[in-house]
Amino acid sequence: MIGTPRFPIRPAEGDPLAVPRIDFPDGIGQVELPSGDTAWLVTRHELVRQVLRDPNFSSDVTRPGFPIVRRLPPQQMAPSPGSFIRMDGPDHARLRRMLTPEFMIKRIRLMEPLIREIVVDALDAMCAEGPPADLVQGFALPVPSMVICRLLGVPYQDHAFFQERTRTMLAWASSMEAILAARDELIAYMTELVAAKQRDGGDDLLSRLVAERVATGEMDAAELIGVAMLLLVAGHETTANMIGLSVLILLRHPDQLERLRKDPESMEDAVEELLRYLTIVRTGLPRAVVADTEINGQLVRAGEGVIAWLDAANHDPSVFPGPGELDLGRGSHQHVAFGFGVHQCLGQPLARAELRIALQELIDRLPGLALAVDGVEYRDSFILGVQRLPVTW
Ligand code: HEM
């Protein structure tokens, strides 16, 4: 390889699913980030898991060397209370522990009838208007948005507001001013919403946290605002992107779609393979090195940055033979699309349930589903997704 490769690789045009991967013989090597800084990129499955489970690698964005894959305003880099995805150790554990019961599999199972109702209503509404229809606006985006709104107690009528701000915060093309403005508007919105929960209560997750955690002093109101923002943003955008892309990929693999249609029991495995194959958190997971550590014989020093490249790990041929092939029956349960270690996605049982139910109902109810026109519009975002998916049935 000549020179230091640049990371992340953004497709100049065309199909972002076909972006080439950087590979290093030892599974680790240096890359140049958009800032001009260098960081270590880890590309092998076992090494990605090593980084993500080792406390020598910090999620705290204010640590020296934390690799920034995207230029962000300095204010964005300040630790924001409650955003435990960017915290380490006891601070992270304290906040995460308070939320864990809410996202346990058995708790999410109780939500399945509600998720199914939301899915079916969205499909009915889309069918009443079409064909054709944009599957993103008609289905992939409203379903997880409604689910997270019901769970948190956020009014769904505000969906355009929070969806737009989220999109701005995640888009490559957004100016620093636009990112900051979007973030501040979301904070102001959440501040008001949390105040309303404190005043009026309600039967939802935020009201429960107010009554059971804020009132007892285990969490303060500023932390709750940060937690609520994290859950709202992470809870709709990622799953929406996965639903839209999964439909696109299944339509591009009609044999696999047919198999799934004939064997609905295989849906759980299919969802895991779609998560692996697509790995929508395309820029990987950034960490700052806090103590000198070896990764496959390579010394990485305190103050340097490391990126655990989930996409490369999920295409490591020693774990997933023929990794570029979509094989819904491969049983890809070792994938790291939800991360690994203490920060592994808190919402994964919810995301899995939404994906399973959304794809199942869509396949059952629209047997003639097909792409309406060629040419799909992808999202301008560091999380892979489709912006528009015109379909017919
Ligand atoms: C298919 C959909 C999703 C994908 C691919 C995804 C992916 C991820 C990944 C890779 C991480 C690890 C971040 C890190 O280690 O730095 C993560 C963390 C997280 N995700 Fe998800 N996620 C999805 C859906 C959701 C949903 C539905 C929710 C909430 C309702 C959610 C909430 C969170 C939270 C709170 C964290 C931080 C956990 C921690 O730091 O302890 N995610 N997600």
Side-chain angles (χ1 to χ4, degrees):
M1 203 177 293
I2 302 161
T4 309
R6 286 167 187 233
F7 185 84
I9 315 164
R10 289 174 55 193
E13 55 189 39
D15 189 345
L17 283 165
V19 167
R21 280 188 192 84
I22 302 168
D23 203 6
F24 298 110
D26 296 325
I28 176 164
Q30 287 207 302
V31 287
E32 185 186 324
L33 304 178
S35 61
D37 294 343
T38 52
W40 295 101
L41 185 70
V42 178
T43 60
R44 214 177 271 166
H45 188 266
E46 102 201 56
L47 303 178
V48 160
R49 298 214 296 187
Q50 177 196 331
V51 167
L52 295 178
R53 80 175 148 236
D54 185 338
N56 284 351
F57 301 101
S58 163
S59 288
D60 179 349
V61 69
T62 62
R63 291 264 191 178
F66 191 92
I68 306 295
V69 290
R70 187 163 161 260
R71 279 176 209 280
L72 288 174
Q75 294 95 313
Q76 178 90 343
M77 309 309 293
S80 83
S83 189
F84 60 93
I85 193 166
R86 291 275 159 261
M87 294 176 184
D88 296 328
D91 291 337
H92 165 261
R94 176 177 62 88
L95 290 168
R96 179 160 173 139
R97 226 183 358 250
M98 289 188 239
L99 289 159
T100 305
E102 301 283 348
F103 290 93
M104 289 205 321
I105 293 177
K106 60 174 193 274
R107 195 69 165 264
I108 298 302
R109 215 161 271 151
L110 298 176
M111 279 186 73
E112 286 196 8
L114 171 70
I115 298 174
R116 198 171 297 280
E117 190 188 308
I118 288 173
V119 163
V120 169
D121 285 352
L123 276 178
D124 285 348
M126 190 176 83
C127 289
E129 301 267 307
D134 172 11
L135 190 101
V136 174
Q137 285 307 321
F139 187 66
L141 192 54
V143 165
S145 303
M146 280 184 206
V147 171
I148 199 72
C149 280
R150 286 290 288 269
L151 178 66
L152 295 180
V154 171
Y156 182 69
Q157 73 252 30
D158 298 336
H159 66 100
F161 170 83
F162 67 74
Q163 286 166 351
E164 268 165 38
R165 267 86 199 149
T166 301
R167 200 176 316 152
T168 303
M169 290 198 298
L170 300 180
W172 289 107
S174 298
S175 67
M176 298 214 185
E177 294 72 32
I179 295 173
L180 269 186
R183 189 196 68 154
D184 289 348
E185 284 161 13
L186 266 182
I187 292 177
Y189 173 79
M190 273 305 173
T191 306
E192 232 174 79
L193 189 67
V194 165
K197 305 280 176 204
Q198 280 175 313
R199 206 175 46 238
D200 310 330
D203 180 20
D204 53 61
L205 194 155
L206 294 184
S207 301
R208 271 198 297 285
L209 290 174
V210 164
E212 293 166 16
R213 307 295 186 177
V214 178
T216 56
E218 291 169 86
M219 187 191 276
D220 64 35
E223 286 175 328
L224 178 56
I225 292 162
V227 164
M229 268 185 61
L230 173 61
L231 294 176
L232 182 64
V233 170
H236 80 276
E237 174 76 15
T238 45
T239 314
N241 288 341
M242 260 312 291
I243 295 174
L245 282 170
S246 297
V247 173
L248 173 65
I249 291 302
L250 289 172
L251 292 176
R252 280 187 185 168
H253 293 81
D255 54 324
Q256 307 253 349
L257 177 56
E258 197 43 40
R259 228 173 77 182
L260 193 53
R261 196 168 265 141
K262 285 195 180 129
D263 179 16
E265 295 296 305
S266 65
M267 183 53 91
E268 279 186 21
D269 279 352
V271 164
E272 297 312 307
E273 171 66 351
L274 287 163
L275 285 159
R276 178 201 74 83
Y277 182 84
L278 292 163
T279 316
I280 57 169
V281 182
R282 276 294 155 119
T283 51
L285 301 179
R287 299 291 192 261
V289 186
V290 292
D292 293 2
T293 309
E294 268 195 19
I295 302 175
N296 203 21
Q298 173 65 57
L299 180 67
V300 297
R301 293 179 189 281
E304 294 182 328
V306 172
I307 296 169
W309 201 9
L310 305 180
D311 189 26
N314 280 344
H315 288 79
D316 181 335
S318 67
V319 184
F320 308 104
E325 296 300 314
L326 178 78
D327 175 1
L328 297 184
R330 81 160 76 222
S332 24
H333 294 269
Q334 292 195 68
H335 73 74
V336 288
F338 288 121
F340 190 70
V342 290
H343 286 280
Q344 195 174 35
C345 181
L346 177 76
Q348 58 186 296
L350 177 61
R352 284 192 165 105
E354 291 183 67
L355 280 165
R356 186 167 37 79
I357 295 170
L359 294 176
Q360 196 65 68
E361 294 293 339
L362 192 71
I363 290 172
D364 283 355
R365 282 162 196 260
L366 302 181
L369 190 71
L371 292 178
V373 287
D374 225 11
V376 177
E377 216 179 290
Y378 289 94
R379 246 165 156 68
D380 166 42
S381 166
F382 64 90
I383 296 179
L384 187 65
V386 270
Q387 176 70 20
R388 242 168 55 82
L389 190 61
V391 291
T392 184
W393 53 89

